[in-house]
Amino acid sequence: MSAYRVAVRVMPRGELLDPQGQAVEHALHALGFAALRSAHVGKHLVLEVDAPTPEAAVDQARAMCERLLANPVTEDFTVAAEGA
Amino acid sequence: MTRVAVVVFPGSNCDADTRDAARAAGCDAYFVWHRDTGLAGADVVVLPGGFSYGDYLRAGAIARFSPVMAAVAAHARAGGAVLGICNGFQILCEAGLLPGALVRNLELRFLSRPVRVRVERTDTPFTTRYAAGEILELPVAHGDGRFVADSRTLAEIEAEGRVVWRYVDENPNGSTRAIAGICNAGRNVVGIMPHPERRVAADCGGNDGARLFLSMEAHHAMERLDGVRAADGGQRGL
């Protein structure tokens, strides 16, 4: 059993309006970043999880997302172990 | 007397106003702490407004796991009346007792001002004392009040007449279909974003919210009467 760092990314669902992302997008365009196509704002969580393997740590983190960290109505998430 | 449990979470701030509004309507209203596991014989449960757990992660996301929420869910499943106001509405959505979610206001600003809503449905425990189509002025005070749901859920809510209040004149937070409040399929669980408890007397800016509390008192008086009739086989002719 060792501790693994798991990175969780929670993002607003693509089909939902993302006013935060739009505000950032407008601000960046106003600053002259013409190459910017779009911006989206979400959350990044770093979890330290005790698990026998990185895969098991990721599974735990996924369960945490389903239970609490992401709202399935409005958000999607991805989970990845950060180097064992 | 209708027993009304007002659940207090760490960060609730409309709990006392809500209890007092229920008392003014003739209810026996009292606080239940979020760590309690029972509701002390409540007929009606109200989750008040505020910022439970500082709105950390998402509004209502942590409060929904408070010990008392198992009792609230059991009460709701048994057909008991549950009302969520503002943060309480957010908690009910997070808990899955109401569909959809409440997300950041479209304009990204915290809104604290009166808005106008239309009463769409009078067939819930909280709206019987209103007339359908009536326009109320109630204050909003929220940063995350934009109601969203997937298109299938929205179609279902609309088809079943479960939009209880809708914003009129303007849509302050960009809610889908101007939804200000909804109920579940059983119509016993209701959520509202504006604050009826802040409009229960002329000297606090109006009393458009008072009849919500009178509705809950009357609803349960009627339920008890029905209970007596049923137990009596209808012989007493009450």
Side-chain angles (χ1 to χ4, degrees):
Chain A
M1 198 73 100
S2 42
Y4 294 95
R5 278 163 72 88
V6 182
V8 174
R9 195 180 70 164
V10 180
M11 296 299 292
R13 275 264 158 91
E15 65 268 27
L16 284 177
L17 208 53
D18 172 17
Q20 277 196 88
Q22 284 180 351
V24 169
E25 190 179 312
H26 293 152
L28 289 170
H29 282 154
L31 290 170
F33 292 99
L36 179 78
R37 285 204 181 182
S38 69
H40 294 282
V41 177
K43 292 185 192 112
H44 183 87
L45 297 95
V46 178
L47 311 173
E48 269 193 277
V49 184
D50 284 329
T53 64
E55 292 73 28
V58 163
D59 284 348
Q60 288 258 26
R62 194 169 287 123
M64 294 176 198
C65 286
E66 283 162 1
R67 195 79 203 286
L68 172 68
L69 300 178
N71 181 334
V73 178
T74 57
E75 295 168 326
D76 292 318
F77 65 86
T78 59
V79 178
E82 285 183 349
Chain B
M1 203 183 261
T2 302
R3 284 180 62 74
V4 178
V6 177
V7 179
V8 183
F9 297 94
S12 293
N13 64 11
C14 302
D15 41 354
D17 286 354
T18 302
R19 177 199 56 193
D20 293 351
R23 282 184 180 165
C27 300
D28 173 16
Y30 54 92
F31 290 150
V32 169
W33 182 233
H34 75 116
R35 299 185 76 93
D36 291 347
T37 51
L39 297 166
D43 301 307
V44 179
V45 180
V46 185
L47 309 188
F51 299 86
S52 56
Y53 295 93
D55 276 356
Y56 293 160
L57 195 64
R58 296 179 308 276
I62 297 177
R64 69 154 290 203
F65 291 108
S66 284
V68 74
M69 288 304 294
V72 174
H75 178 81
R77 272 198 304 274
V82 179
L83 174 70
I85 302 170
C86 196
N87 188 223
F89 186 6
Q90 294 163 336
I91 295 167
L92 290 175
C93 288
E94 282 284 342
L97 292 172
L98 288 174
L102 293 145
V103 297
R104 188 59 45 88
N105 294 344
L106 194 58
E107 305 287 341
L108 302 173
R109 275 191 297 267
F110 188 92
L111 296 170
S112 180
R113 60 182 167 82
V115 300
R116 284 154 61 80
V117 297
R118 185 172 62 232
V119 179
E120 302 283 53
R121 304 295 303 197
T122 58
D123 53 352
T124 80
F126 305 100
T127 52
T128 54
R129 291 295 181 95
Y130 293 97
E134 198 176 336
I135 309 284
L136 315 178
E137 190 190 276
L138 297 172
V140 290
H142 61 243
D144 301 273
R146 176 163 55 102
F147 182 81
V148 295
D150 62 59
S151 51
R152 217 186 78 198
T153 304
L154 278 170
E156 195 177 289
I157 293 172
E158 292 283 8
E160 294 175 2
R162 290 164 50 192
V163 177
V164 183
W165 298 273
R166 235 184 272 268
Y167 300 109
V168 289
D169 304 335
E170 56 150 358
N171 183 344
N173 50 30
S175 272
T176 310
R177 298 179 196 220
I179 288 171
I182 58 167
C183 65
N184 67 345
R187 314 194 78 79
N188 58 310
V189 181
V190 174
I192 181 172
M193 231 29 231
H195 288 273
E197 79 283 5
R198 296 189 189 177
R199 287 291 185 280
V200 293
D203 61 5
C204 65
N207 54 16
D208 280 354
R211 279 175 290 156
L212 181 144
F213 297 93
L214 292 167
S215 298
M216 77 168 75
E217 157 62 15
H219 175 77
H220 286 274
M222 285 309 292
E223 272 198 339
R224 264 195 305 278
L225 206 54
D226 287 345
V228 170
R229 278 191 186 127
D232 246 21
Q235 295 305 304
R236 199 183 288 171
L238 279 170

